[in-house]
Amino acid sequence: MFNNIITSDQFNKSDVSYICTMATHIRKIAKTKEGLLFLKSVLPHKRAMLYFDQPSTRTFLSFYSACQILGMNIAEVRDINTSSELKGESPEDSIRTLSSYFDLIIIRSKDKDFPKRMANLFLNIERTIPIINAGSGSAEHPTQALLDIYTLLRSFENTGGITGKNIMFVGDLKRSRTVKSLSKLLTLYYDVHQTFVAPKQLQATDEILQFSDKISYTLSEDFESQLKKADAIYMTRIQSEWDTNGESSKIDISKFCLNKHHLNLLKKDAVVMHPLPRRNEIGTEIDRDPRAMYWRQVRNGMWIRVALIAILFSVDVKILKYTYNNS
Ligand code: NCD
């Protein structure tokens, strides 16, 4: 189905649906001890490297747990200053070295093209291993987009699925890679409206709007009036790590924060999402509202990543057989 996971537009709708179905099978298998032991027996002969040159808690541990669930051995490079790159080695040579020891490399990088460059590097050499993009620059976060779609599909199971829904993105839409990747994946679903709500300095740019022939969308600065019409509210934090001159500290985001006063404006079946980490754009008092889905996103992310790794190593059929033999 795919040899690497680099960008969210590499997937078509049936890929996404298959990945989500696999995640559900795996989630159900993992409910019993026997199931967990089976999953652990699937890839004990494979080794994964987590190569993260940017901070991460969730994505790192989500991939770490996903590899553990499949019985893989895991190693990590999190601080490039402890690697030979400090001696002047190129990241390309580092990754090629790692590929001698590992069967999978999961990369998070400041450089938006790095995972793609590494996947291309392996096209021309004999030993080729899969690359997964765990977030690249401010451009792409394909596995987050898949877990977001999975969360939407699960949330809208009884209300007709994603078709026809209004998905509202809020916050730093200019620099949020999760928004860019999810917005692209949503174009696979029929009749979805995307609403982008942000202060004008952080509004969605052509990186998203280039797909405007495929999406119906609204750009707005009016959080409260759009909130009432949304089926999903996807909040994001200000990505100040990309500032060149502290510019985000000058932007007033107080009108783009969700607090308990907004709860009665929301549709009763709406869902509130956030890729996390959050700052103050969602008050903790929202956490207990049944429409808050961000902690479920975290858990869904782990199952989606198990599914993706299983598919990359072609053990998905083995997992499906287990389901059929045990149901
Ligand atoms: C996001 C990221 O790294 O892009 N976090 C994540 O992976 N869940 C969002 C963010 O950092 O704001």
Side-chain angles (χ1 to χ4, degrees):
M1 190 191 258
F2 39 81
N3 301 322
N4 300 291
I5 298 163
I6 305 297
T7 149
S8 67
D9 47 17
Q10 74 181 74
F11 301 111
N12 61 33
K13 197 170 167 190
S14 70
D15 294 337
V16 177
S17 144
Y18 183 67
I19 294 162
C20 293
T21 304
M22 275 307 298
T24 296
H25 283 304
I26 290 163
R27 189 163 55 79
K28 291 187 176 157
I29 293 173
K31 286 191 193 298
T32 65
K33 180 178 168 194
E34 293 69 29
L36 276 169
L37 290 173
F38 159 72
L39 289 169
K40 234 179 158 27
S41 74
V42 169
L43 289 174
H45 54 302
K46 296 290 182 190
R47 292 183 300 273
M49 161 54 69
L50 290 152
Y51 181 91
F52 275 50
D53 84 1
Q54 276 189 307
S56 173
T57 308
R58 252 157 306 274
T59 307
F60 181 87
L61 290 174
S62 176
F63 273 113
Y64 198 99
S65 308
C67 292
Q68 273 183 333
I69 287 170
L70 291 168
M72 298 175 84
N73 290 301
I74 310 144
E76 61 187 72
V77 171
R78 297 198 75 175
D79 181 0
I80 306 303
N81 289 327
T82 62
S83 83
S84 283
E85 284 177 42
L86 207 67
K87 299 182 192 167
E89 183 169 58
S90 69
E92 277 80 355
D93 281 1
S94 281
I95 295 289
R96 187 154 182 188
T97 304
L98 296 175
S99 76
S100 309
Y101 308 135
F102 297 96
D103 304 294
L104 165 68
I105 303 182
I106 300 162
I107 299 177
R108 166 164 287 198
S109 172
K110 293 190 267 303
D111 175 348
K112 73 177 174 41
D113 296 317
F114 187 58
K116 186 171 178 194
R117 275 209 321 276
M118 294 308 105
N120 288 341
L121 177 79
F122 290 129
L123 289 177
N124 306 317
I125 56 182
E126 213 177 301
R127 184 176 155 77
T128 163
I129 63 164
I131 299 283
I132 300 181
N133 180 356
S136 55
S138 64
E140 275 280 2
H141 200 340
T143 63
Q144 177 75 40
L146 287 164
L147 78 87
D148 292 335
I149 290 282
Y150 187 47
T151 304
L152 289 169
L153 287 171
R154 292 189 67 194
S155 306
F156 296 148
E157 213 159 36
N158 300 320
T159 57
I162 296 176
T163 300
K165 296 291 193 295
N166 176 9
I167 314 293
M168 168 175 166
F169 293 97
V170 185
D172 191 342
L173 312 183
K174 185 176 172 189
R175 301 178 294 183
S176 169
R177 56 192 172 197
T178 65
V179 173
K180 291 171 198 169
S181 288
L182 177 57
S183 171
K184 273 194 269 181
L185 265 196
L186 284 170
T187 62
L188 298 176
Y189 294 84
Y190 182 65
D191 198 21
V192 169
H193 189 78
Q194 301 192 31
T195 304
F196 301 104
V197 178
K200 58 179 177 314
Q201 304 93 312
L202 300 176
Q203 188 48 279
T205 62
D206 267 356
E207 267 182 282
I208 290 176
L209 304 177
Q210 63 179 312
F211 299 101
S212 57
D213 57 325
K214 291 198 204 151
I215 52 177
S216 116
Y217 70 91
T218 303
L219 298 176
S220 170
E221 282 187 67
D222 189 345
F223 180 64
E224 289 194 1
S225 73
Q226 296 299 332
L227 198 59
K228 299 176 195 155
K229 298 188 259 178
D231 297 298
I233 296 97
Y234 193 97
M235 303 294 295
T236 62
R237 72 177 171 90
I238 302 300
Q239 308 276 314
S240 41
E241 64 271 39
W242 302 110
D243 281 2
T244 43
N245 206 6
E247 54 273 25
S248 31
S249 60
K250 296 173 199 127
I251 302 173
D252 177 14
I253 60 138
S254 58
K255 293 201 192 73
F256 302 87
C257 294
L258 191 71
N259 60 47
K260 62 173 186 283
H261 306 296
H262 293 119
L263 287 176
N264 52 11
L265 295 180
L266 287 180
K267 287 189 185 178
K268 83 175 180 350
D269 294 328
V271 291
V272 178
M273 295 170 66
H274 194 304
L276 301 176
R278 68 174 152 189
R279 290 180 180 169
N280 53 358
E281 59 280 350
I282 300 187
T284 49
E285 69 274 15
I286 311 276
D287 292 9
R288 259 175 281 137
D289 190 282
R291 292 165 292 187
M293 287 295 151
Y294 28 97
W295 298 112
R296 296 223 190 145
Q297 278 170 270
V298 176
R299 185 99 178 144
N300 284 339
M302 181 176 77
W303 301 125
I304 282 288
R305 288 169 176 131
V306 180
L308 289 169
I309 295 169
I311 295 167
L312 276 173
F313 285 106
S314 307
V315 289
D316 44 326
V317 173
K318 186 172 176 174
I319 293 174
L320 289 176
K321 278 192 188 142
Y322 180 92
T323 299
Y324 295 124
N325 293 338
N326 290 278
S327 55

